[in-house]
Amino acid sequence: MALRSVLLGVGSFLPERILTNEELAQSVDTNNEWIIERTGIRQRHIAGKNEKTSDLACAASLKALEASGRTADDIDLVIVATTTPDLTFPATAARVQAALGINKGAAFDLQAVCSGFIFALATADNALVRGQAKCALVIGAETFSRIVDWTDRGTCVLFGDGAGAVVLEAQERDDDRGVISTFLRTDGRMHDLLYVDGGPSETGTIGKVRMVGNAVFRNAVEHISGAMLEACARAGVSLDQVDWFVPHQANQRILDGVARKLDIAVDKVVSTVALHGNTSAASVPLALDVAVRDGRIKPGQLVLMEALGGGLTWGAALVRL
Ligand code: UT7
């Protein structure tokens, strides 16, 4: 028997407003064909003016709680992975905690940009298996549209808003259900490939996303593949034992490139990039939720989640549902 972090439920939420490629092409020099061919993205959801990251996070969390059979009273750890917090402080997680009526344990934000959910999952797993918490709400939530430069066609076509959440519970088990292995990596030397040109300390502004797209692309294929292999190696599992791959949804060509590199069947890779775009920390739990709810991912299956983002950060998490 060992203490394990079991994933009991997943939920997600997307803002109502959809921004299509055609609509975007009316305000910036791009077109539907280019965006689809180079990224696979057809549309993205955009949060309303008064819709905050914490609102999206709460909506996703309520669905995850419902799916998990647990209530707010059971939760004693809230981690929100986000790059677009409601305010500089306090943590968006503190707002989510209060809004959901959770009144015990800790709540904090985690910043690893698009890899945030993987980092948050690993952090929650560590807390649960050490007995520091019993039931965790792990959320990826973004109003990324707020930090997009809507005049930069190299980035504005890519991103969208949304949230996804999971409930993890510490359970004594004699099987391998739950988080099996995680791998996290940051290489700060690649800071300038993907960053926001503002912040409270350096500029006193919020800033906008800046990216050297093709360099990030190359790093993504290489490091995501490496992270997947590392997470599997740590678990003594081979890639062909994995039932589903749930990657960060940055670009369909990255998903395809990784699948080709590792010789993975594309029908085992969950892709929501066409409909959601890149929702940063929200993209992995959003994609997980879609594939669990449509019946593709079933209880007992082995799922490998992976991501790369600003930092650069990257990582992977192997979970048996
Ligand atoms: O979530 C964090 C991780 N982020 C990512 O993983 C994103 C990684 N990068 C990418 O997905 C791709 O690099 C992009 C989709 C951003 C760009 O695709 P690309 O195939 O790497 O294109 P590129 O940047 O090399 O640009 C090719 C051409 C350029 O024109 P010239 O110089 O060849 O005349 C760009 O100006 O495409 C042009 N271009 C566009 N054209 C129409 C760039 N963006 C657009 C656009 N519409 N939106």
Side-chain angles (χ1 to χ4, degrees):
M1 297 283 273
L3 203 52
R4 308 186 62 86
S5 312
V6 175
L7 199 160
L8 294 180
V10 55
S12 65
F13 179 79
L14 289 159
E16 206 176 303
R17 159 110 166 91
I18 288 173
L19 177 62
T20 63
N21 291 348
E22 285 88 355
E23 215 180 323
L24 249 179
Q26 289 167 18
S27 56
V28 64
D29 180 17
T30 187
N31 57 78
N32 184 37
E33 294 68 35
W34 191 95
I35 302 172
I36 291 177
E37 192 190 309
R38 297 296 185 111
T39 72
I41 298 167
R42 293 173 183 273
Q43 61 172 51
R44 66 289 290 144
H45 290 249
I46 304 292
K49 222 174 150 213
N50 298 318
E51 218 168 10
K52 302 180 296 296
T53 294
S54 62
D55 298 324
L56 310 190
C58 285
S61 298
L62 288 173
K63 292 183 186 167
L65 280 168
E66 194 187 353
S68 71
R70 299 294 181 268
T71 68
D73 287 343
D74 297 309
I75 302 296
D76 58 0
L77 175 64
V78 181
I79 307 179
V80 176
T82 189
T83 299
T84 45
D86 288 11
L87 300 171
T88 303
F89 85 85
T92 300
R95 279 195 161 175
V96 170
Q97 186 203 45
L100 294 179
I102 298 165
N103 47 30
K104 61 185 177 204
F108 58 90
D109 287 359
L110 188 149
Q111 164 61 294
V113 205
C114 300
S115 311
F117 181 76
I118 304 291
F119 277 57
L121 194 74
T123 304
D125 175 44
N126 288 336
L128 292 173
V129 299
R130 279 186 59 84
Q132 289 171 342
K134 282 201 163 62
C135 198
L137 192 52
V138 182
I139 306 162
E142 301 280 12
T143 47
F144 215 83
S145 59
R146 309 277 214 268
I147 55 167
V148 165
D149 175 353
W150 290 101
T151 65
D152 174 13
R153 69 177 183 171
T155 53
C156 76
V157 302
L158 303 173
F159 296 99
D161 301 332
V166 299
V167 173
L168 289 180
E169 184 178 73
Q171 292 183 0
E172 282 288 349
R173 299 194 67 93
D174 56 9
D175 58 15
D176 71 348
R177 186 169 171 211
V179 178
I180 297 175
S181 68
T182 55
F183 169 77
L184 306 180
R185 178 78 169 92
T186 301
D187 189 340
R189 291 170 299 181
M190 289 187 276
H191 172 284
D192 292 352
L193 297 185
L194 179 52
Y195 65 100
V196 162
D197 62 2
S201 177
E202 191 163 311
T203 63
T205 61
I206 296 171
K208 299 291 181 200
V209 176
R210 304 295 168 213
M211 177 168 74
V212 186
N214 44 22
V216 175
F217 188 108
R218 281 193 302 278
N219 276 284
V221 175
E222 181 189 337
H223 295 309
I224 286 172
S225 307
M228 289 163 70
L229 292 172
E230 187 61 40
C232 283
R234 287 179 180 188
V237 161
S238 68
L239 275 179
D240 43 301
Q241 289 175 275
V242 175
D243 296 296
W244 291 101
F245 298 88
V246 183
H248 169 49
Q249 308 286 319
N251 185 325
Q252 186 61 44
R253 284 164 54 224
I254 296 177
L255 273 58
D256 294 343
V258 170
R260 240 188 342 265
K261 194 174 160 88
L262 297 181
D263 199 18
I264 290 167
V266 285
D267 57 0
K268 284 175 133 190
V269 182
V270 177
S271 175
T272 55
V273 70
L275 301 179
H276 301 170
N278 180 347
T279 57
S280 183
S283 95
V284 170
L286 258 165
L288 180 70
D289 189 44
V290 166
V292 166
R293 283 177 196 266
D294 70 18
R296 271 179 289 172
I297 300 182
K298 297 181 180 61
Q301 288 191 318
L302 203 50
V303 177
L304 184 57
M305 300 177 245
E306 57 268 0
L308 175 134
L312 293 182
T313 53
W314 62 94
L318 186 68
V319 179
R320 188 172 298 281
L321 287 202

